[in-house]
mmCIF file of all heavy atoms in Angstrom:
data_model
loop_
_atom_site.group_PDB
_atom_site.id
_atom_site.type_symbol
_atom_site.label_atom_id
_atom_site.label_comp_id
_atom_site.label_asym_id
_atom_site.label_seq_id
_atom_site.Cartn_x
_atom_site.Cartn_y
_atom_site.Cartn_z
ATOM 1 N N GLN A 20 -35.412 -34.808 43.410
ATOM 2 C CA GLN A 20 -35.799 -36.136 42.846
ATOM 3 C C GLN A 20 -37.243 -36.121 42.402
ATOM 4 O O GLN A 20 -37.563 -36.598 41.306
ATOM 5 C CB GLN A 20 -35.641 -37.228 43.924
ATOM 6 C CG GLN A 20 -34.202 -37.509 44.311
ATOM 7 C CD GLN A 20 -34.137 -38.446 45.561
ATOM 8 O OE1 GLN A 20 -35.147 -38.909 46.046
ATOM 9 N NE2 GLN A 20 -32.884 -38.665 45.982
ATOM 10 N N LEU A 21 -38.115 -35.529 43.175
ATOM 11 C CA LEU A 21 -39.533 -35.470 42.818
ATOM 12 C C LEU A 21 -39.705 -34.572 41.584
ATOM 13 O O LEU A 21 -40.535 -34.831 40.739
ATOM 14 C CB LEU A 21 -40.361 -34.972 43.961
ATOM 15 C CG LEU A 21 -40.419 -35.910 45.206
ATOM 16 C CD1 LEU A 21 -41.179 -35.282 46.323
ATOM 17 C CD2 LEU A 21 -41.110 -37.180 44.797
ATOM 18 N N SER A 22 -38.946 -33.499 41.504
ATOM 19 C CA SER A 22 -39.029 -32.618 40.317
ATOM 20 C C SER A 22 -38.514 -33.335 39.081
ATOM 21 O O SER A 22 -39.118 -33.189 38.003
ATOM 22 C CB SER A 22 -38.152 -31.381 40.522
ATOM 23 O OG SER A 22 -38.684 -30.553 41.526
ATOM 24 N N ALA A 23 -37.493 -34.179 39.212
ATOM 25 C CA ALA A 23 -36.985 -34.913 38.087
ATOM 26 C C ALA A 23 -38.048 -35.920 37.561
ATOM 27 O O ALA A 23 -38.072 -36.200 36.372
ATOM 28 C CB ALA A 23 -35.713 -35.635 38.489
ATOM 29 N N LEU A 24 -38.878 -36.423 38.440
ATOM 30 C CA LEU A 24 -39.894 -37.376 38.017
ATOM 31 C C LEU A 24 -41.249 -36.710 37.784
ATOM 32 O O LEU A 24 -42.205 -37.421 37.434
ATOM 33 C CB LEU A 24 -40.033 -38.471 39.131
ATOM 34 C CG LEU A 24 -38.865 -39.344 39.380
ATOM 35 C CD1 LEU A 24 -39.060 -40.170 40.612
ATOM 36 C CD2 LEU A 24 -38.619 -40.201 38.174
ATOM 37 N N ASP A 25 -41.317 -35.443 37.895
ATOM 38 C CA ASP A 25 -42.608 -34.682 37.914
ATOM 39 C C ASP A 25 -43.543 -35.138 36.807
ATOM 40 O O ASP A 25 -44.648 -35.640 37.099
ATOM 41 C CB ASP A 25 -42.324 -33.227 37.775
ATOM 42 C CG ASP A 25 -43.568 -32.379 37.902
ATOM 43 O OD1 ASP A 25 -44.492 -32.772 38.602
ATOM 44 O OD2 ASP A 25 -43.617 -31.259 37.274
ATOM 45 N N ASN A 26 -43.252 -34.983 35.571
ATOM 46 C CA ASN A 26 -44.169 -35.324 34.496
ATOM 47 C C ASN A 26 -43.680 -36.507 33.718
ATOM 48 O O ASN A 26 -44.090 -36.715 32.539
ATOM 49 C CB ASN A 26 -44.325 -34.110 33.552
ATOM 50 C CG ASN A 26 -45.117 -33.019 34.173
ATOM 51 O OD1 ASN A 26 -46.058 -33.299 34.905
ATOM 52 N ND2 ASN A 26 -44.765 -31.787 33.895
ATOM 53 N N GLY A 27 -42.920 -37.392 34.375
ATOM 54 C CA GLY A 27 -42.441 -38.549 33.701
ATOM 55 C C GLY A 27 -43.526 -39.547 33.411
ATOM 56 O O GLY A 27 -44.544 -39.620 34.121
ATOM 57 N N VAL A 28 -43.346 -40.318 32.392
ATOM 58 C CA VAL A 28 -44.317 -41.351 32.021
ATOM 59 C C VAL A 28 -43.906 -42.633 32.727
ATOM 60 O O VAL A 28 -42.706 -43.026 32.659
ATOM 61 C CB VAL A 28 -44.336 -41.569 30.509
ATOM 62 C CG1 VAL A 28 -45.200 -42.725 30.101
ATOM 63 C CG2 VAL A 28 -44.771 -40.296 29.773
ATOM 64 N N VAL A 29 -44.852 -43.290 33.347
ATOM 65 C CA VAL A 29 -44.583 -44.541 34.002
ATOM 66 C C VAL A 29 -44.357 -45.609 32.873
ATOM 67 O O VAL A 29 -45.201 -45.736 31.991
ATOM 68 C CB VAL A 29 -45.709 -44.939 34.921
ATOM 69 C CG1 VAL A 29 -45.489 -46.344 35.517
ATOM 70 C CG2 VAL A 29 -45.904 -43.912 36.025
ATOM 71 N N PRO A 30 -43.216 -46.285 32.869
ATOM 72 C CA PRO A 30 -42.920 -47.233 31.758
ATOM 73 C C PRO A 30 -44.026 -48.225 31.468
ATOM 74 O O PRO A 30 -44.341 -48.553 30.320
ATOM 75 C CB PRO A 30 -41.667 -47.935 32.205
ATOM 76 C CG PRO A 30 -41.006 -46.993 33.156
ATOM 77 C CD PRO A 30 -42.127 -46.249 33.831
ATOM 78 N N GLN A 31 -44.681 -48.721 32.501
ATOM 79 C CA GLN A 31 -45.728 -49.722 32.307
ATOM 80 C C GLN A 31 -46.946 -49.060 31.530
ATOM 81 O O GLN A 31 -47.589 -49.723 30.713
ATOM 82 C CB GLN A 31 -46.232 -50.310 33.634
ATOM 83 C CG GLN A 31 -45.211 -51.093 34.327
ATOM 84 C CD GLN A 31 -44.313 -50.299 35.234
ATOM 85 O OE1 GLN A 31 -44.225 -49.107 35.135
ATOM 86 N NE2 GLN A 31 -43.675 -50.983 36.186
ATOM 87 N N GLN A 32 -47.236 -47.811 31.864
ATOM 88 C CA GLN A 32 -48.329 -47.121 31.164
ATOM 89 C C GLN A 32 -48.002 -46.850 29.733
ATOM 90 O O GLN A 32 -48.866 -47.058 28.848
ATOM 91 C CB GLN A 32 -48.677 -45.790 31.898
ATOM 92 C CG GLN A 32 -49.348 -45.928 33.223
ATOM 93 C CD GLN A 32 -49.515 -44.599 33.898
ATOM 94 O OE1 GLN A 32 -48.727 -43.653 33.665
ATOM 95 N NE2 GLN A 32 -50.565 -44.482 34.672
ATOM 96 N N ALA A 33 -46.758 -46.507 29.471
ATOM 97 C CA ALA A 33 -46.337 -46.254 28.093
ATOM 98 C C ALA A 33 -46.382 -47.545 27.243
ATOM 99 O O ALA A 33 -46.891 -47.559 26.135
ATOM 100 C CB ALA A 33 -44.923 -45.689 28.051
#
Side-chain angles (χ1 to χ4, degrees):
Q20 291 172 3
L21 294 173
S22 291
L24 295 171
D25 186 31
N26 287 325
V28 174
V29 176
Q31 294 89 340
Q32 288 176 329

